[in-house]
Every structure is written in structure tokens, then in C-alpha cells.
Amino acid sequence: MPGHDIHIIGGGLAGSEAAWQLAQAGHKVRLSEMRGSGEMTPAHQSDRLAELVCSNSFRSDDADSNAVGLLHQEMRALGSLILTQGDIHKVPAGSALAVDRDGFADGVTAALEQHPNVTIVRERVDTLPAEGRTIVATGPLTAPLLAESIGRATGKDSLAFFDAIAPIVHRESIDMETAWFQSRWNKGSGKDYINCPMSKEQYLEFHAGLMAGEKTEFREWENVPYFEGCMPIEVMAERGVDTLRYGPMKGVGLDDPRTGRWPYAVVQLRQDNASGTLWNMVGFQTKLKYAEQVRLFRTIPGLEKAEFARLGGLHRNTFLRSPELLDSTLRLKSAPHIRFAGQITGCEGYVESSAIGMLAGRFAAAEIAGQMLAPPPRETALGALLAHITGEAEVDTYQPMNVNFGLFPPIEGRTKKADRKRMYTDRARAALKDWLAA
Ligand SMILES: Cc1cc2nc3c(=O)[nH]c(=O)nc-3n(C[C@H](O)[C@H](O)[C@H](O)COP(=O)(O)OP(=O)(O)OC[C@H]3O[C@@H](n4cnc5c(N)ncnc54)[C@H](O)[C@@H]3O)c2cc1C
């Protein structure tokens, strides 16, 4: 690629942040963005770089007790363009960081247009480049021809076009006096699942709650098909009162230690990350509204005090099986000249997408300079998110994920719940300081 050190495809949040990091490190960047060339995604409305497609919030800005607030702080420390422009265009939103979306996107666009090391080209890219350093940051609505090319390069079933997310619960919030560890018929280790039992009355009430609960509508352009394997739980419930009891909620082969019998129905949770801090409600992908999910799922015995690392959903969303396909610096293992960044890696959210763009840019910048940049430590928000994407998450149930404390290595020893978040964030700040010093 004459005249450029690296080609970035996609000028959304991740691509813009990656371009900035590389340009600031002195490397020449070609940034290809299809909007502005007569192309548009179904969600964007302008040709500005880093356009926010929905809400104008970067969520909590509290760096002491919130994982996304900590991620803001770490990104500021690393000279993030997205956070700099977010801070400049901040609007009042309590403890959250919300922005004037037009001013924000104009600010990002101007910063990159004016940077001497960045060339912005308004063009659609249809194939993965066969050579030359590249970062692909084309987001959840990657244009179809490029998605096909990525699919061909990464293999069958490696690229998903919809997320079907079942809620994920923090392990420490599950009441193990009521729930118990056991796999059906004691298969595998015999203890692979957490089981939450239901009596007949509890099941019937829960079924009625699913039927009555308020649901989110699909967007007109989403046109989401219901695959049998990821059908929303409430759609299954509509098929008959016993459908769930003979499907994902069947109690057979599970011995409730409190009664010595199989429960009438059961909600099973499966481990979702290697450290066992996060557990996935099996078969519970749903279009119920978030508040409704929290209310209804806390009626499940054992989950009365459940804290959710993420709630369920079903959307159009293009993302890779990253834990299997990407190495620890976001390179495609089968074609290491290509890195992926942003939501297409399976992170979720504006801030997370930008953070992964930032890391992809920094890894590439170090590589061009003939150096090797170690990934940030797992104890930091950047490191926890990166580790989740690049290997820590369970591949078979991999679904897009926001940053949360469940991704961090657990704090050892007995601690007061009220102190724990502060312990995570203090530990992260110390670890980031050491990493930056190194
Ligand atoms: C409808 C919708 C609503 C969302 N709402 C929120 C929300 O409210 N809050 C939140 O935190 N997150 C939200 N997200 C999730 C996510 O944070 C955003 O999608 C975010 O913009 C992802 O950043 P990104 O840089 O990975 O992708 P994007 O910001 O989408 O950037 C990708 C860019 O690549 C370009 N592109 C695509 N294909 C090509 C190609 N072949 N050639 C050249 N350019 C190409 C696109 O035009 C786009 O500019 C939403 C996602 C969707 C789909």
C-alpha cells in the first residue's frame, strides 16, 4: 500500500480510535469509510465518522465503582480521541457521560481530517486485503460483501449475523442454599450446571409472567429469523404451557438435594467464562424489556438477588467467534496481517468498541515500529475485556458482552460487598500504572 503503513476499514467508533492511536504514534493511516460514497448502513444517518447510532450515552463515568467508568478512565490515560471528544461535547446526565451527538461526531471527524498522518477515503471495501497491515472495524452492520469475504477467510460458522443473548448472572449473587451444582444425569464432571428448582405453582406463575411481559419490538430492517436454536423463551412459552417444561426448563435427571426428587421445572445456568464468575441462563434468550427481565427472573428460586452482567436480547449483529479466531493482540490467527476491532470482535457498546479499537491501533503501532506490546493486565478494564474476547470466554456460547466486573480476576479472600468494587478499581489503577511504566 504505497504511502501508508496501515489500512483501516470502517470509520465508526473503533476505526476512528484505532486511526488516531496510529497517527499519533507517527504512522501513516488510510481510513476507508463507505458512508459518504453513496452507501449507508441501516442504522446510521450521516456520513460523519464515529456517528452514535442510538443513545447518546457512554454510560457511567464513575471510575471507582463501575467497570465502564473505569474503562473511561483508562482510555483517557491512553489519550483516547473518543473520550477527549466525549468530554468536550458532554451534556448534563448525572454520573453518566452523555454527549451532544452531532458535536461529538463532528469533533472526531475534524480531528482525523486535520491529522497529517490520516487519509480518509470514502469507499466501500468488499474483500479482505490479501496482504498489507489491516484493521477491520466495520461494526455490527458490516456491508454484506465484506461479511461474505470475512466468512470465507475465517471458516463456516465463524461469523454470526444475529446475537441471541441469554441473561448472564454474577455467580456470587446466586443463592446456593436454594440452587445446586449438578449436570443432568450426572454427566460430564457431574457438577457442570447450577440448577434453580421450581414447584408447579412457581412454574405456572412464571409462565404467565413470560406471556404477559412487555417485549421489545424488532426494528423494521432487522428482519430477524427465529432459528429453533435461539428462539426467545417467551415465543416458546406461547407454544403451550408445558413447552418449556419439556424443553430448556425440564427437571428430569436432576436431584434437588433439599427434596431428593426431580423438580417440576428448573432453570439451569452454565459457566460462561474460564474463571467461573459469570453464568449463562441456558435457553433464556429473550425480547422481554430489560426492567421486565430483572423483575421476572428474580422470581426464580435462587435468583432472588441475581445481579445481571448482561440482560437478554436478540438483534441483528455481525460478530466473529473471536475467542477461537483471534490471538491476544487481536490478529486473525490464520492471516496475522489482519486485526479486527470494535463490535465485530464481540464486545458490546460504544465505549467497549472504542476501547478495542484503541488496543488494535496500539498493537499495530508497536508492530510497525518493530516492537512487541504486551496486552494490558487482566486486572485492568482494558485487559479484562480483551482477555474475554481473545480466549477467556466460552467459544460455544460466545455472545456480545459489555465490560463488567465479572470479567476481572476475582478478588481473593473474604471482603465486604460494599468494598469490593472499589477494590477492583484500585487494583486496576495500580496494574495500569505498572503496564504504562513498562
Ligand atoms: C441499531 C443499533 C443500536 C445500538 N445502540 C447502542 C447504544 O445505544 N449504546 C451503545 O453503547 N451501543 C449501541 N450499539 C452497539 C455498538 O456500540 C455500536 O454499534 C457501535 O457503533 C459499534 O462501534 P464499531 O466501531 O464497532 O462499529 P460502527 O460504529 O458501526 O462503525 C463501523 C463503520 O464501518 C463502516 N462500514 C461497514 N462496512 C464497510 C465496508 N465494507 N467498507 C467500508 N466501510 C464499512 C460503517 O459505515 C461504519 O461507519 C448499537 C448497535 C446497533 C446496530
Side-chain angles (χ1 to χ4, degrees), residues 313-354:
L314 196 65
H315 302 102
R316 185 159 154 201
N317 192 353
T318 310
F319 65 98
L320 286 169
R321 277 164 77 96
S322 298
E324 184 170 74
L325 296 171
L326 303 185
D327 73 10
S328 62
T329 69
L330 297 161
R331 287 182 306 192
L332 189 61
K333 289 177 188 165
S334 59
H337 64 288
I338 294 173
R339 279 192 163 79
F340 282 86
Q343 183 125 344
I344 196 167
T345 65
C347 63
E348 167 79 32
Y350 298 150
V351 184
E352 289 84 346
S353 297
S354 310

Side-chain angles (χ1 to χ4, degrees), residues 8 11 40 54 73 110 123 142 197 220 324 379 396 410 422 435 438:
I8 298 178
M40 201 46 94
C54 187
Q73 187 177 58
E123 62 179 357
T142 294
E220 204 182 313
E324 184 170 74
E379 290 76 13
D396 291 340
R422 187 61 197 243
W435 182 68

Side-chain angles (χ1 to χ4, degrees), residues 149-219:
S149 171
I150 296 170
R152 281 195 299 277
T154 52
K156 188 173 168 286
D157 299 335
S158 63
L159 191 66
F161 292 94
F162 298 95
D163 55 31
I165 298 167
I168 293 175
V169 180
H170 289 279
R171 160 70 184 81
E172 62 192 16
S173 68
I174 302 173
D175 174 12
M176 296 307 292
E177 297 288 311
T178 302
W180 76 99
F181 285 103
Q182 191 190 359
S183 340
R184 201 180 303 281
W185 309 113
N186 295 314
K187 286 191 175 157
S189 77
K191 293 179 182 297
D192 291 348
Y193 290 79
I194 292 178
N195 303 285
C196 300
M198 279 188 184
S199 65
K200 183 173 182 183
E201 295 67 37
Q202 287 166 329
Y203 173 79
L204 293 177
E205 213 167 299
F206 183 73
H207 181 268
L210 281 176
M211 301 285 284
E214 220 185 323
K215 327 277 183 322
T216 309
E217 297 300 320
F218 282 115
R219 301 196 176 215

Side-chain angles (χ1 to χ4, degrees), residues 9-15 32-35 41 43-44 50-51 53-55 57 59 123-126 137-143 146 219 221 316 341-344 348-353 402:
I9 310 173
L13 289 156
S32 299
E33 168 52 55
M34 70 176 186
R35 289 177 293 117
T41 78
H44 289 83
E51 181 185 327
V53 286
C54 187
S55 120
S57 175
R59 317 203 309 279
E123 62 179 357
R124 194 187 72 203
V125 177
D126 290 339
T138 44
L141 305 171
T142 294
L146 182 62
R219 301 196 176 215
W221 50 266
R316 185 159 154 201
Q343 183 125 344
I344 196 167
E348 167 79 32
Y350 298 150
V351 184
E352 289 84 346
S353 297
N402 287 123

Side-chain angles (χ1 to χ4, degrees), residues 365-377:
E367 205 174 76
I368 296 167
Q371 293 159 1
M372 173 70 200
L373 177 65

